Amino acid sequence: ERNALSGRISDAGGGGLASANVVVRNLATGERYAARTDGDGNFNFEKLPSGRYRVTIEAAGFSSVSREISLTGREGEKLEIA
């Protein structure tokens, strides 16, 4: 089953973090997917297989942040990271 994952990355003041690297890695297979946030800090992945993932965000001047999520075939997952 395929899943969509979208979200927004923001700084401490709530502003969108542009050009941040977002890497989504399947914990079972090691398969990696990468994207870059747009000017408002938004990112989007389409058609990810169901499973557990580690989402890692990296941006110049900020500490990297990682979260583990499960994609289970629901309509679409949203992830907000500040």
Side-chain angles (χ1 to χ4, degrees), residues 28-39:
T29 67
E31 192 167 5
R32 293 169 46 104
Y33 305 87
R36 200 175 275 272
T37 58
D38 66 14

Side-chain angles (χ1 to χ4, degrees), residues 2-6 44-48 71 75-77:
R2 299 294 179 162
N3 302 267
L5 172 65
S6 61
N44 189 48
F45 292 91
E46 297 288 333
K47 301 181 180 176
L48 295 172
L71 298 178
E75 183 151 324
E77 298 287 332

Side-chain angles (χ1 to χ4, degrees), residues 11-68:
D11 61 21
L17 196 56
S19 299
N21 293 313
V22 182
V23 176
V24 178
R25 185 174 59 87
N26 185 302
L27 295 177
T29 67
E31 192 167 5
R32 293 169 46 104
Y33 305 87
R36 200 175 275 272
T37 58
D38 66 14
D40 294 321
N42 298 305
F43 66 90
N44 189 48
F45 292 91
E46 297 288 333
K47 301 181 180 176
L48 295 172
S50 293
R52 290 201 48 77
Y53 288 85
R54 177 176 297 276
V55 180
T56 302
I57 292 89
E58 296 179 332
F62 293 87
S63 298
S64 66
V65 175
S66 292
R67 299 277 188 278
E68 285 191 17

